[in-house]
Amino acid sequence: MLRIYGMARSEFDGRYETWRPRVLPEDLSRLEATVHEALARRDESLRTDFRIRRPDGEVREVEFVGAFTYGPDGTALRGIGVNRDNTDACRMIRALRESQARDRAIFEQAAVGIVDADLDGRWIRANRRLAVMLGYDSAADLAGTSWLDLTHPSDRATGCEQLAALRAGQVDYHTGDKRFLRKDGTAIWVSATVSLIRTPDTGEPSSLTSVIIDATDRKKSEAALLEAEERLRFAQEAAGAGLWNLDIATGLATCSEGYCHLYGLDPASGGHHTIEDWLAQVHPADRPRARAEVEASLAKGNYACEYRIVRTDGTIRWLAARGKTYLDEASRPVRFTGLAVDVTALREAELRLRTAIEGTGFATWERIVAEGTALWSTNHFPLFGYPTDPGGRASYEMWWNCICPEDRAKVQAAVASRQDSERFDVVYRIRRVSDGAERWMQTMGYAIDDDAEGHPRRMIGITLDVTDREVARIRLHDLQNELLHVSRLADAGVMASGLVHEVAQPLMAATMAMQAARLTAHRAAALLPKDLHEGFEEACGLVGDQLARAVEILEGLRAFIIPHGTTRSPEALRPLVDDACTVAMVGFGRSGTAVRNAVPEELPNVLANAVQIRQVLFNLLRNAIQAMAEQGTALVEPTVTVTADLQDAMVRVAVADNGPGLAPEVAAQLFEPFVTTKPEGMGIGLSLCRSIVESHGGSICAEANPGGGVVFRFTLPVAPCDEVPLPEQHEDGTDGSG
Ligand code: ADP
């Protein structure tokens, strides 16, 4: 007793008053009242409890069991009792009570469904959360239902097996996903853990308790993940892609099955295990570049590289790889992962296309508008005089800055106008960067990939150097103008010359007659009155003067018309013929007529006025072409051939056709003015030719071509410095002719 109360023997004198203050005041009055009531009832025994405080302050729980004896008059004589220290037991009970309350709270308020069931799976107690999960109003609605009743038919068989295993005590718990049926008949995916509860003393299975979690969202995201994975796998397979993942710390790689297929490796081998493994299969020529790219990517993050590999079967394929380096929180690279696809077919197609395009001589370009960058084919660079960039990298400025300022507005307008015609096409001049040369370019382009406002994001097209064509076009234009001018002058000249010819004769006759009249008058002077004779003399003198003046004017006109005063210079004949051919064909391009310039290159230069000789050639060619065109289709291959050779310090030119030949009525006076067989002809072309040729010191004639048609021949003097070269002197002093 003293131990319970924490007191020494000396501290307790056995008196009620000494014991009383030991009881906690809040328990004392209840305790005394209880004892008092028991004594009043003459109870023989009493059992109660109370708390005491030890001298050191510690509170203890004490149980009291006592017995009372009474005298014959009912007076209580004595009490005897036992105190038992129940502190530890009480604590346990209280803790138990608290834990039970907590359990209940957990059970009711849990975020998961909880259900207790008997060994047959009949539900004894379910919490609210489970009821809500299954679409019931309250947990009470679920009591008495069986575990299997609520299980989706497809999951019942497995459910039965699991229940049997638990009941037999073979397993202590089972966890897994299953479907329950909700009140409205729909299925719900849950994750359920069922535990077997055993009787504490015997260890016999007594009941089941399970925790059930709504797995709808998880199942959904799992399904989505699965689908995404499936799609990714499909995409990889469809693209023939191979994946790799390199753990940078260990330097070890894992590769997908598709990756192994790319390299011709057995998927069971796991592909390449290290970067060196991989490099060994990279084509030796591409190896240093591929290695450098990977090393750079470990530092900068993104990786993109195209390289050749040698497959295990010895074939060479092109791969395009894209990858990324992942960093940890301390920005250290941890993982290098990526994907490679076989682009051999693409490369080959590209190559074929490029060869085809380059074969046509077209230079291609692509412009990325927003970036101001451009991609040029290799043959696009030299067009503008830039060194070729192997990657084709160029810019919009590189093109624009070359365009001659006076053509820029035209180019800009053409590019802007493409909205109407889909395509723009413009011819413009540029200054070549390398040598400053002016060149003509033609650029055609399409806009592809327009933005929402219809502005192009990307444009593609071709450019070609059309300098030769443009220069020829301009020259043709100039020549035509020149010829028109010369022809007009010449036409007027020949007409005037014809008139001079026609008028000079009657003038001469009149002058002669005038002289005869004066002579007659002179002889008859004695017979005539003096004043009449003087008047006649005076009139004759006047008429004579006027006639002489008229002849003088005609002579002057002739000198003016026949162009022998024009400048001459050494001229190469062949280019003159080229020019004349070009202009003569204008309007006859589709007639099927062929014009051949067979003048030898090595012929010495002629001393001539180029404009006039071009005119002669033009007239002869034009006549021949017209004659053959009029003849229609009877002729198989209408051809005019210009040839030339050297004869006695003169160059002899021949213009031969295989047309109808000369009409007999014109043949005799072919070179006379106003002789023509054409309804709209003037008949002065050949006359002009003769004037020009003769003014050059040459001669012109026409003869029948043995094969049909006409040959016109004319001669021109060789230019002085181009005199006939001496026969080649051999070392033995002979000319080699023997
Ligand atoms: P035009 O062409 O105005 O008739 P030309 O003096 O150039 O004047 O020619 C005179 C005529 O000579 C022509 O009308 C034509 O009958 C004839 N002639 C010229 N060249 C040829 C030729 N190559 N073949 C046939 N006839 C020709």
Side-chain angles (χ1 to χ4, degrees):
M1 189 72 138
L2 287 170
R3 247 196 326 273
I4 290 174
Y5 281 81
M7 296 163 87
R9 178 160 292 280
S10 56
E11 283 173 301
F12 189 64
D13 55 8
R15 290 163 55 87
Y16 184 76
E17 275 67 36
T18 314
W19 165 81
R20 203 170 168 264
R22 297 285 154 211
V23 181
L24 290 192
E26 51 269 44
D27 286 1
L28 184 63
S29 44
R30 179 180 55 82
L31 177 65
E32 286 185 330
T34 308
V35 172
H36 193 74
E37 281 162 22
L39 293 179
R41 281 195 303 273
R42 310 278 190 269
D43 286 349
E44 293 196 336
S45 67
L46 174 70
R47 186 189 178 92
T48 185
D49 46 31
F50 56 91
R51 287 167 298 171
I52 58 154
R53 188 184 301 276
R54 285 183 178 171
D56 63 2
E58 193 190 339
V59 174
R60 305 291 299 179
E61 309 263 352
V62 176
E63 185 186 9
F64 164 76
V65 183
F68 302 103
T69 49
Y70 302 90
D73 58 348
T75 319
L77 295 178
R78 55 189 266 172
I80 186 166
V82 176
N83 273 190
R84 191 167 69 186
D85 186 341
N86 259 350
T87 310
D88 293 336
C90 281
R91 271 189 197 147
M92 274 166 69
I93 287 163
R94 219 175 12 253
L96 199 65
R97 274 201 208 113
E98 275 168 18
S99 93
Q100 273 171 349
R102 206 164 40 235
D103 281 353
R104 222 179 1 262
I106 289 172
F107 186 82
E108 280 311 326
Q109 291 153 29
V112 295
I114 303 173
V115 62
D116 294 332
D118 65 16
L119 287 176
D120 294 326
R122 256 190 307 278
W123 287 9
I124 301 160
R125 191 175 66 132
N127 73 349
R128 199 177 138 62
R129 172 78 201 139
L130 183 61
V132 171
M133 203 187 290
L134 297 180
Y136 290 88
D137 294 333
S138 80
D141 295 349
L142 282 168
T145 39
S146 126
W147 180 265
L148 284 176
D149 288 346
L150 285 169
T151 299
H152 190 275
S154 326
D155 292 340
R156 267 181 205 154
T158 2
C160 279
E161 282 168 27
Q162 289 163 359
L163 206 61
L166 283 165
R167 197 166 36 206
Q170 291 162 351
V171 291
D172 277 340
Y173 69 96
H174 184 274
T175 187
D177 288 343
K178 61 174 287 176
R179 277 158 295 177
F180 270 136
L181 287 174
R182 302 176 84 242
K183 191 181 176 187
D184 62 6
T186 57
I188 176 172
W189 271 104
V190 297
S191 154
T193 305
V194 190
S195 316
L196 183 68
I197 308 294
R198 292 172 189 272
T199 322
D201 23 335
T202 62
E204 279 299 303
S206 68
S207 66
L208 301 169
T209 186
S210 47
V211 172
I212 292 156
I213 300 168
D214 184 344
T216 315
D217 289 345
R218 202 195 73 217
K219 279 279 168 190
K220 257 190 216 151
S221 51
E222 271 177 10
L225 196 68
L226 223 75
E227 201 185 302
E229 268 176 5
E230 190 56 35
R231 267 205 302 270
L232 184 67
R233 193 167 38 248
F234 177 75
Q236 281 167 25
E237 273 165 21
L243 283 138
W244 79 83
N245 183 31
L246 176 78
D247 183 303
I248 292 171
T250 60
L252 291 178
T254 50
C255 306
S256 74
E257 204 176 314
Y259 182 98
C260 297
H261 290 314
L262 279 183
Y263 285 84
L265 298 166
D266 179 5
S269 73
H272 297 132
H273 298 291
T274 64
I275 288 191
E276 293 308 320
D277 267 6
W278 163 66
L279 280 170
Q281 250 190 294
V282 173
H283 191 283
D286 294 346
R287 210 173 281 157
R289 189 168 53 82
R291 184 195 291 276
E293 284 289 344
V294 168
E295 278 164 10
S297 122
L298 292 181
K300 72 176 196 284
N302 286 334
Y303 166 71
C305 188
E306 283 191 23
Y307 48 86
R308 278 161 298 173
I309 59 159
V310 185
R311 296 183 84 239
T312 47
D313 61 8
T315 54
I316 290 171
R317 310 289 296 176
W318 272 100
L319 296 193
R322 299 279 179 281
K324 191 172 157 64
T325 302
Y326 293 88
L327 308 176
D328 64 8
E329 305 83 62
S331 301
R332 280 181 307 248
V334 280
R335 205 153 59 80
F336 173 54
T337 184
L339 175 150
V341 278
D342 188 322
V343 291
T344 313
L346 201 68
R347 277 251 170 185
E348 280 169 3
E350 247 175 37
L351 195 70
R352 271 199 296 277
L353 187 67
R354 198 176 320 136
T355 318
I357 288 174
E358 276 167 13
T360 62
F362 293 152
T364 59
W365 53 267
E366 179 178 344
R367 177 182 161 203
I368 299 99
V369 179
E371 293 173 13
T373 57
L375 281 174
W376 287 1
S377 61
T378 46
N379 56 348
H380 200 287
F381 290 87
L383 284 187
F384 291 82
Y386 288 106
T388 303
D389 178 286
R393 283 171 290 255
S395 70
Y396 176 72
E397 266 65 44
M398 283 167 67
W399 173 64
W400 182 255
N401 293 343
C402 286
I403 301 173
C404 289
E406 54 272 37
D407 283 357
R408 284 190 183 167
K410 174 169 84 168
V411 174
Q412 207 158 34
V415 176
S417 76
R418 61 99 219 164
Q419 271 108 339
D420 308 324
S421 60
E422 291 281 294
R423 189 184 86 157
F424 76 84
D425 186 346
V426 63
V427 176
Y428 54 96
R429 280 162 298 168
I430 63 142
R431 276 220 182 278
R432 206 154 51 189
V433 173
S434 50
D435 55 3
E438 185 180 282
R439 305 290 298 177
W440 286 88
M441 294 291 155
Q442 180 171 13
T443 293
M444 282 166 260
Y446 287 92
I448 46 174
D449 190 17
D450 284 353
D451 66 13
E453 275 113 64
H455 300 305
R457 280 203 197 94
R458 242 153 37 97
M459 301 185 85
I460 56 166
I462 59 171
T463 300
L464 51 161
D465 188 322
V466 291
T467 310
D468 292 348
R469 189 187 81 191
E470 284 303 302
V471 165
R473 189 180 59 79
I474 292 166
R475 184 157 169 71
L476 180 67
H477 188 252
D478 290 351
L479 279 172
Q480 271 175 322
N481 276 346
E482 187 182 75
L483 277 176
L484 201 66
H485 183 68
V486 171
S487 302
R488 286 221 187 95
L489 265 185
D491 287 357
V494 171
M495 268 165 81
S497 130
L499 280 175
V500 169
H501 192 69
E502 298 291 316
V503 177
Q505 278 172 12
L507 271 181
M508 288 308 283
T511 310
M512 304 281 274
M514 190 62 230
Q515 277 167 357
R518 284 180 87 178
L519 199 66
T520 312
H522 188 69
R523 284 197 194 128
L527 300 175
L528 288 173
K530 193 174 181 273
D531 56 339
L532 187 66
H533 179 249
E534 277 173 6
F536 183 75
E537 274 279 312
E538 200 184 330
C540 281
L542 258 172
V543 173
D545 287 351
Q546 289 308 310
L547 280 173
R549 177 151 168 69
V551 171
E552 232 174 69
I553 291 172
L554 282 180
E555 286 302 324
L557 193 59
R558 196 204 297 271
F560 175 74
I561 294 158
I562 301 205
H564 54 248
T566 46
T567 52
R568 315 246 161 90
S569 51
E571 297 285 345
L573 188 64
R574 203 179 147 84
L576 291 180
V577 174
D578 270 337
D579 288 348
C581 290
T582 312
V583 187
M585 279 307 287
V586 172
F588 287 90
R590 285 162 199 208
S591 66
T593 307
V595 180
R596 285 201 316 121
N597 178 0
V599 175
E601 298 251 23
E602 61 279 7
L603 210 64
N605 285 347
V606 292
L607 185 65
N609 179 289
V611 175
Q612 289 176 352
I613 298 307
R614 252 189 241 121
Q615 180 73 48
V616 170
L617 287 162
F618 171 80
N619 285 0
L620 297 179
L621 287 165
R622 196 73 174 188
N623 275 343
I625 293 166
Q626 277 174 352
M628 291 187 297
E630 269 158 35
Q631 203 185 15
T633 54
L635 204 66
V636 187
E637 269 180 67
T639 312
V640 199
T641 311
V642 186
T643 55
D645 58 3
L646 206 56
Q647 266 210 341
D648 310 327
M650 295 293 270
V651 168
R652 192 175 58 160
V653 186
V655 179
D657 66 62
N658 54 0
L662 292 171
E665 68 268 25
V666 294
Q669 343 124 279
L670 204 54
F671 297 97
E672 293 300 315
F674 314 122
V675 172
T676 180
T677 55
K678 302 171 191 169
E680 75 291 4
M682 296 263 291
I684 52 180
L686 291 176
S687 149
L688 177 69
C689 289
R690 187 175 60 179
S691 302
I692 293 173
V693 170
E694 287 176 356
S695 76
H696 277 76
S699 61
I700 185 163
C701 64
E703 58 196 58
N705 193 355
V710 198
V711 187
F712 281 87
R713 294 185 200 282
F714 65 94
T715 54
L716 290 171
V718 170
C721 54
D722 286 288
E723 291 292 0
V724 190
L726 289 168
E728 209 176 291
Q729 288 294 313
H730 286 249
E731 272 162 21
D732 59 5
T734 67
D735 64 5
S737 62

